[in-house]
Amino acid sequence: MASELINIPENKLDEVLIARLDSSKRAIFIVSFIFESGLSLIIDALKRFLKNENQLTIITSNYLKCTQPEALESLLTLQSLGAEVYVFDSLSSNQSFHIKSYYFSDYYKSESYIVGSSNLSISAFRSSLEFNAEISDADFLKDFHTQYHSILNNPCTCELTESFISEYRLVYEENKNPFL
């Protein structure tokens, strides 16, 4: 498979992600916004993935103050199971962060990458008009790994902590998001 279109609502991205998790040993999710509604659709699969001693990295952001603090708290649960969870601090850096990507590697070193318009929310997974492409091209995947390490090593990327969530919650509550 070189590439495949995963269009929403004809497809359910949460089901695609769960199927990829079930056959993978490594997953990297880099998404600008995480809502509890979307995370709740895949949280059990993520926990199962981690309990099978697989590697999970999640990078999200506080860009536009959209990610819900409750979703960040749920990510702490995944962190306690071994996930690496980071936040790109857009508010402090004044840098936009609008990525939506999901990477998978299986036991046979086969890799794929889903990139598109879907954040981690129930509407982006199931009902909004969204385009996502699943790509297995080696050159594309090499570029992904370069960009992933660049984001991970960016000084504005920090490990998710309870204190980060507490501080962010104050700012988030001032900014009632009209899309929730």
Side-chain angles (χ1 to χ4, degrees):
M1 169 187 69
S3 60
E4 178 183 337
L5 180 66
I6 304 168
N7 56 325
I8 314 303
E10 287 80 9
N11 298 283
K12 292 180 174 38
L13 187 57
D14 57 299
E15 293 175 1
V16 172
L17 297 178
I18 291 169
R20 298 304 176 273
L21 285 167
D22 286 345
S23 64
S24 296
K25 67 173 186 169
R26 175 92 175 107
I28 301 169
F29 292 4
I30 307 173
V31 290
S32 52
F33 312 140
I34 299 181
F35 300 124
E36 190 65 24
S37 66
L39 187 56
S40 68
L41 295 173
I42 64 170
I43 192 81
D44 289 338
L46 292 170
K47 288 177 181 177
R48 186 172 57 249
F49 182 77
L50 289 165
K51 287 180 181 173
N52 289 329
E53 298 184 12
N54 296 307
Q55 297 176 314
L56 174 64
T57 302
I58 298 174
I59 304 173
T60 190
S61 77
N62 55 11
Y63 178 56
L64 298 178
K65 305 173 193 170
C66 285
T67 293
Q68 294 176 305
E70 297 80 12
L72 294 176
E73 289 170 347
S74 294
L75 292 179
L76 285 178
T77 302
L78 296 176
Q79 195 177 56
S80 73
L81 295 173
E84 296 177 358
V85 183
Y86 302 93
V87 178
F88 182 87
D89 191 350
S90 291
L91 299 178
S92 295
S93 67
N94 201 28
Q95 174 67 52
S96 300
F97 189 91
H98 209 237
I99 301 169
K100 295 105 172 158
S101 66
Y102 307 88
Y103 164 86
F104 301 93
S105 173
D106 68 16
Y107 295 96
Y108 306 103
K109 304 229 187 251
S110 176
E111 297 175 292
S112 69
Y113 179 70
I114 299 172
V115 61
S117 61
S118 293
N119 279 298
L120 221 153
S121 71
I122 194 169
S123 61
F125 280 177
R126 294 191 168 192
S127 61
S128 294
L129 296 174
E130 307 270 353
F131 279 162
N132 300 281
E134 184 167 15
I135 302 166
S136 296
D137 177 78
D139 290 334
F140 189 91
L141 288 160
K142 181 181 175 187
D143 289 343
F144 160 75
H145 286 292
T146 300
Q147 293 304 313
Y148 160 68
H149 288 290
S150 176
I151 292 166
L152 194 60
N153 294 314
N154 187 300
C156 298
T157 301
C158 60
E159 187 174 354
L160 180 65
T161 63
E162 290 181 20
S163 64
F164 181 92
I165 297 170
S166 296
E167 291 174 25
Y168 172 63
R169 183 183 304 281
L170 298 173
V171 175
Y172 176 85
E173 289 175 354
E174 293 173 358
N175 182 59
K176 295 297 179 190
N177 190 323
F179 300 107
L180 297 177

